[in-house]
């Protein structure tokens, strides 16, 4: 029997049993692509990470990221969570993770030996208007968006809909079948809530109807808000997500640059390890 150890971390929270669940298989060298997809289905988290030796010189490790339905080039909470899991044994201040979307550095902050926070540099995504915005809005039960409905693509693609009021975000009851037909991207709904931003993310085509904390959506949200002058470039935003599925999460994001040139996108948060285990496979 082949044996594969894994760690379960709750990401974008500093409290166990909140945030977004993540399984990290710390040595996946003897797993096939089919094994990885089957294990991701077995774990049934929004994403599962498999750690491999790097293939490029400027990376410490390589990670592959699977949802229960498919592999993603990049995702935020798996990248941050993997950095927390691997950062302690590797003793790095900055750990560089090779993904299918490129090498992502994560800066880890410690209190004594304990890692308490991480900031990841995200790739700058392309973006554009959503041609069938009316279909997306109808699937959400909405008539309009306060900002243009636009897509951003970080490997997982995201569509952004400004719902206007945080109470309206909470009240959303999407038609998931209609949403899956309208777009293959995740759909991110948001509203300003005093000093924070209330969000919910729906991705039925990724096998995840609603996500607890979407790191790959946080950076593009900051870009979207800065491009449309809802926030200033360089302004850090705090994002609240996941309460509706009993996984409250907190994410931070900041974008530097100008509307014509995005220079840097950073997304941050905490994570806690909650379980360890082992799979035995023939």
């Amino acid at each position: 029997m082949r044996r594969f150890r894994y760690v379960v971390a709750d990401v974008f929270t500093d409290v166990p049993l909140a945030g977004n669940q993540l399984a990290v298989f710390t040595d996946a060298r003897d797993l096939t692509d089919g094994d990885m997809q089957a294990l991701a289905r077995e774990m049934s988290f929004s994403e599962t990470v498999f750690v491999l030796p790097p293939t490029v010189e400027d990376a410490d490790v390589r990670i592959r990221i699977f949802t229960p339905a498919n592999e993603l080039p990049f995702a935020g909470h798996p990248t941050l969570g993997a950095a927390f899991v691997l950062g302690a044994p590797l003793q790095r201040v900055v750990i560089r993770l090779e993904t299918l979307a490129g090498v992502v550095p994560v800066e880890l902050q410690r209190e004594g030996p304990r890692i308490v926070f991480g900031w990841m540099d995200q790739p700058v995504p392309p973006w554009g208007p959503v041609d069938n915005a009316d279909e997306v809005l109808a699937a959400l039960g909405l008539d309009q968006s306060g900002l243009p409905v636009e897509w951003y693509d970080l490997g997982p693609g995201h569509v952004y809909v400004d719902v206007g009021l945080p109470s309206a975000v909470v009240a959303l009851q999407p038609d998931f079948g209609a949403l899956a037909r309208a777009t293959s991207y995740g759909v991110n709904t948001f509203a300003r809530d005093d000093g924070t931003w209330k969000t919910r993310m729906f991705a039925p085509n990724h096998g995840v109807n609603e996500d607890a904390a979407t790191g790959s959506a946080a950076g593009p949200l900051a870009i979207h808000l800065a491009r449309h002058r809802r926030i200033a470039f360089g302004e850090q935003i705090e994002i609240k997500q996941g309460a509706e599925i009993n996984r409250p999460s907190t994410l931070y994001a900041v974008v530097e640059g100008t509307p014509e040139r995005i220079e840097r996108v950073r997304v941050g948060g905490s994570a806690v390890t909650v379980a360890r285990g082992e799979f035995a496979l023939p």
Side-chain angles (χ1 to χ4, degrees):
M1 299 293 284
R2 299 175 297 156
R3 297 186 180 275
F4 301 96
R5 294 180 178 177
Y6 66 90
V7 177
V8 175
D10 290 336
V11 186
F12 290 117
T13 180
D14 57 4
V15 179
L17 309 183
N20 207 347
Q21 299 156 295
L22 176 72
V24 180
F25 285 81
T26 54
D27 186 352
R29 285 175 291 182
D30 291 330
L31 289 170
T32 67
D33 291 3
D35 290 336
M36 293 181 196
Q37 186 64 76
L39 284 166
R41 283 196 301 269
E42 183 78 8
M43 297 306 300
S44 199
F45 296 156
S46 58
E47 281 105 8
T48 296
V49 164
F50 299 90
V51 181
L52 297 158
T55 63
V56 294
E57 291 185 1
D58 61 340
D60 297 304
V61 298
R62 177 164 61 105
I63 62 171
R64 295 181 67 182
I65 303 167
F66 286 78
T67 76
N70 58 359
E71 183 173 9
L72 298 177
F74 173 79
H77 101 268
T79 303
L80 183 65
F84 268 75
V85 169
L86 301 171
L90 290 178
Q91 290 294 304
R92 300 292 174 87
V93 174
V94 177
I95 183 168
R96 299 179 63 83
L97 305 176
E98 178 188 352
T99 73
L100 290 176
V103 176
V104 178
V106 182
E107 180 184 348
L108 299 171
Q109 300 173 2
R110 289 174 165 83
E111 290 180 358
R114 186 169 66 94
I115 301 171
V116 295
F117 199 88
W119 280 105
M120 76 181 101
D121 278 64
Q122 292 190 342
V124 177
W127 60 78
V130 173
D131 294 333
N132 63 333
D134 288 347
E135 292 179 46
V136 174
L137 292 170
L140 293 169
L142 299 173
D143 296 324
Q144 61 184 354
S145 171
L147 289 177
V149 180
E150 295 179 326
W151 59 263
Y152 294 74
D153 196 341
L154 265 179
H158 296 286
V159 170
Y160 290 83
V161 176
D162 177 7
V163 180
L165 296 172
S167 58
V169 176
V170 173
L172 288 170
Q173 296 183 353
D175 179 334
F176 290 114
L179 202 60
R181 291 188 294 272
T183 179
S184 61
Y185 284 3
V187 176
N188 292 267
T189 59
F190 65 90
R192 187 187 290 273
D193 189 5
D194 293 328
T196 67
W197 292 86
K198 170 68 180 172
T199 70
R200 293 176 70 187
M201 198 285 278
F202 310 107
N205 277 321
H206 296 173
V208 182
N209 279 348
E210 183 165 358
D211 199 26
T214 315
S216 62
L221 175 61
I223 297 173
H224 192 60
L225 295 173
R227 286 182 54 238
H228 293 290
R229 300 186 178 182
R230 291 289 184 88
I231 63 170
F233 281 91
E235 178 182 342
Q236 179 177 301
I237 62 171
E238 180 178 339
I239 301 164
K240 298 292 186 180
Q241 186 180 344
E244 290 71 25
I245 55 173
N246 298 312
R247 305 289 305 190
S249 308
T250 303
L251 307 84
Y252 300 88
V254 61
V255 57
E256 300 170 4
T258 65
E260 294 75 27
R261 177 177 172 144
I262 306 299
E263 297 176 356
R264 190 181 192 188
V265 183
R266 304 185 84 200
V267 172
S270 299
V272 290
T273 296
V274 295
R276 299 177 187 272
E278 182 181 86
F279 273 84
L281 302 178

